[in-house]
Amino acid sequence: MPYLRLKIKQVLKSKFTWISLIAILICCLSFWVRNYYTSKSDSMELTTAKSNLAIQKKNVKYFQKELKQKNLDVDSKKQIRKTLKSSQADIAEKQRLIKALKSKDWQKAYPIMIKEARFWLADADKNGSNSEAVAISKRDLLELQTLAKQHLPKEQTINPVKGSFFLIFVMEQFLPILVVLATTFILVKIFANDYFDHMKLGNLLPNNRLILSEFSTGSLISFSYFLVTFLLIFLIPSLFAGTGNFNYPIVGMNPVTREYTFIPMHQLLLPILILELLSFIFISGTVLFFVQFFKKPIIALLFSVLILVGGMVLPQFVVAERSFAQFIPMSYFFALQPVNGLFGISNAYAFADETELVTYPQVNFTNGVIVLLIGILILLLLNYFVAEKAQKGIKES
């Protein structure tokens, strides 16, 4: 306990702790401000409906002009009148949809939107579109059917502003990288403070007690830092735009069947936090190992960032690494992706231009728990052996 209290005081007194926290919040909230102003304009559904209405109005004018031509035969006129009637009916339907979207009358809007989604799915199947295009069409239809069945209004999830939706957005995109980077700096600093002239002052204590104290203290501090950031990114947008509905279905995927699914938001939160807790215990052990091994903060920081941040980013960039990503503990630092099944699909860092839908079912919550627990155990043993060796060196000298 005295060791924990000492390290907490060091973290709270450190300017870097507060500067890094503020920097992360500013980075995230700058995206929220952009989303907020974007939300003031027409929604994507309304913009699409207006665009389609304008196209159909042009079509009606064109067909009316065609009917006035004198050299048309009876069959041609009959076909044009049939197409004209269809376009006019479509215009009336689009106008009803636009009216419903403007008044946010979703129970009137959903049947029309579902009808359109079915049309686009049939069109994708008919034209032999690639598997990803077909899966997206199925996803859009399933989302509308789910929302209509549960009587939920459609929320903005692409550029979200409500607290819960914005939290999911940043967790999927960049928040894990920022927090891992910040906590790595913090952990290197608090662990390096235990050294004087490259000698660890705590080596006078029994190793098992010392390592467990350092391991648990670093884990608690790093996860608490993440948790504070996590809560603030939820609370601040919620003050201005509301929390959002935690029963709202969030897009996920069954990576085995390669079909999109929709998961209630509240079912995502606990698995995400479990993976993040294990991730930060692993991070604490890794940083502690490098600090003990090198005894120089700069080198320890360099290796920690290279291994931890590099390890979590590489599977996002390098498609070849995804084949064995389930064995890399850092793959689970993006905790949302293993939970919702969208690893390798939804992240913003993939360079792969995959026309066929490729999934990675091996990167999942269960494997994440197993791999991280094994990694934590290995790091505990490594840290113990390094500390034991250092302590023997002191005694021999």
Side-chain angles (χ1 to χ4, degrees):
M1 288 299 290
Y3 182 83
L4 175 61
R5 287 196 295 269
L6 172 64
K7 293 304 174 184
I8 289 174
K9 286 181 181 179
Q10 289 178 357
V11 170
L12 293 176
K13 288 180 179 180
S14 173
K15 291 181 180 178
F16 178 81
T17 303
W18 302 106
I19 291 172
S20 62
L21 179 61
I22 292 169
I24 291 172
L25 292 176
I26 289 173
C27 178
C28 292
L29 294 176
S30 64
F31 280 88
W32 183 84
V33 171
R34 184 204 65 180
N35 292 350
Y36 179 79
Y37 284 108
T38 302
S39 70
K40 294 297 181 181
S41 57
D42 289 344
S43 66
M44 184 177 66
E45 294 80 15
L46 184 55
T47 301
T48 302
K50 286 181 176 179
S51 176
N52 290 337
L53 177 62
I55 291 171
Q56 289 294 6
K57 284 183 175 180
K58 287 182 180 179
N59 289 341
V60 165
K61 288 182 180 179
Y62 172 78
F63 293 132
Q64 287 173 339
K65 186 178 179 181
E66 284 291 300
L67 281 174
K68 293 178 181 178
Q69 293 186 21
K70 296 179 180 180
N71 57 348
L72 289 176
D73 55 41
V74 176
D75 289 339
S76 296
K77 284 187 177 182
K78 185 178 179 181
Q79 184 62 39
I80 290 174
R81 286 194 183 100
K82 183 180 178 180
T83 309
L84 177 60
K85 187 177 180 181
S86 176
S87 294
Q88 288 172 333
D90 198 40
I91 285 174
E93 189 174 66
K94 290 290 187 295
Q95 288 172 335
R96 290 197 302 273
L97 176 59
I98 289 171
K99 184 179 178 181
L101 289 173
K102 284 183 175 178
S103 61
K104 299 189 182 300
D105 188 347
W106 292 103
Q107 296 313 309
K108 288 183 179 179
Y110 281 143
I112 301 172
M113 295 169 72
I114 288 171
K115 179 183 174 182
E116 290 181 349
R118 282 179 176 149
F119 170 81
W120 289 117
L121 175 58
D123 184 66
D125 280 327
K126 182 180 177 181
N127 293 329
S129 300
N130 61 61
S131 60
E132 187 170 6
V134 173
I136 289 172
S137 296
K138 287 182 179 178
R139 178 200 67 189
D140 294 342
L141 175 58
L142 178 60
E143 179 183 20
L144 293 169
Q145 290 173 330
T146 303
L147 291 171
K149 184 178 180 180
Q150 296 181 12
H151 304 287
L152 292 171
K154 197 170 190 308
E155 297 284 359
Q156 178 61 273
T157 55
I158 296 176
N159 295 302
V161 292
K162 291 187 177 180
S164 55
F165 297 107
F166 183 72
L167 180 61
I168 293 293
F169 169 77
V170 295
M171 280 297 295
E172 184 179 62
Q173 301 293 330
F174 51 82
L175 181 61
I177 289 180
L178 296 179
V179 177
V180 169
L181 192 60
T183 52
T184 300
F185 275 83
I186 291 170
L187 290 173
V188 168
K189 185 173 182 180
I190 64 171
F191 289 145
N193 283 341
D194 294 337
Y195 285 81
F196 178 76
D197 196 22
H198 305 304
M199 185 179 73
K200 191 172 185 178
L201 302 178
N203 278 330
L204 299 174
L205 297 173
N207 275 331
N208 55 349
R209 286 175 52 195
L210 177 62
I211 294 301
L212 286 175
S213 294
E214 291 176 322
F215 216 98
S216 57
T217 297
S219 302
L220 179 62
I221 287 172
S222 56
F223 183 67
S224 297
Y225 184 96
F226 163 76
L227 208 56
V228 169
T229 310
F230 188 85
L231 291 173
L232 286 174
I233 290 173
F234 164 69
L235 290 172
I236 295 173
S238 296
L239 291 174
F240 298 95
T243 60
N245 191 333
F246 284 93
N247 290 317
Y248 194 87
I250 301 298
V251 66
M253 174 167 280
N254 183 328
V256 177
T257 62
R258 297 183 182 180
E259 291 182 349
Y260 284 95
T261 60
F262 286 88
I263 309 164
M265 188 189 299
H266 65 85
Q267 291 183 13
L268 295 172
L269 295 178
L270 181 59
I272 286 173
L273 290 175
I274 290 172
L275 280 183
E276 291 293 0
L277 173 60
L278 294 175
S279 296
F280 283 103
I281 296 173
F282 181 87
I283 289 166
S284 175
T286 303
V287 174
L288 177 60
F289 172 74
F290 284 130
V291 171
Q292 284 199 111
F293 188 81
F294 293 109
K295 301 181 180 64
K296 294 183 179 179
I298 298 298
I299 299 177
L301 178 63
L302 178 63
F303 274 85
S304 297
V305 171
L306 185 65
I307 298 297
L308 296 172
V309 179
M312 69 185 295
V313 170
L314 275 179
Q316 314 290 334
F317 278 105
V318 183
V319 177
E321 287 210 10
R322 297 179 191 170
S323 60
F324 56 89
Q326 71 270 28
F327 303 115
I328 304 174
M330 288 71 76
S331 297
Y332 303 98
F333 291 1
F334 281 98
L336 179 60
Q337 294 177 7
V339 173
N340 64 14
L342 290 174
F343 178 84
I345 298 171
S346 67
N347 61 77
Y349 311 100
F351 287 153
D353 182 18
E354 295 167 344
T355 55
E356 296 300 315
L357 186 60
V358 179
T359 59
Y360 303 88
Q362 66 274 23
V363 183
N364 54 53
F365 172 75
T366 303
N367 284 346
V369 172
I370 294 170
V371 169
L372 286 168
L373 285 174
I374 292 172
I376 289 166
L377 180 60
I378 291 171
L379 285 167
L380 266 172
L381 294 173
L382 285 174
N383 277 292
Y384 176 80
F385 288 134
V386 171
E388 186 73 18
K389 186 178 179 181
Q391 195 171 63
K392 284 182 180 178
I394 292 173
K395 289 177 179 178
E396 289 174 1
S397 61

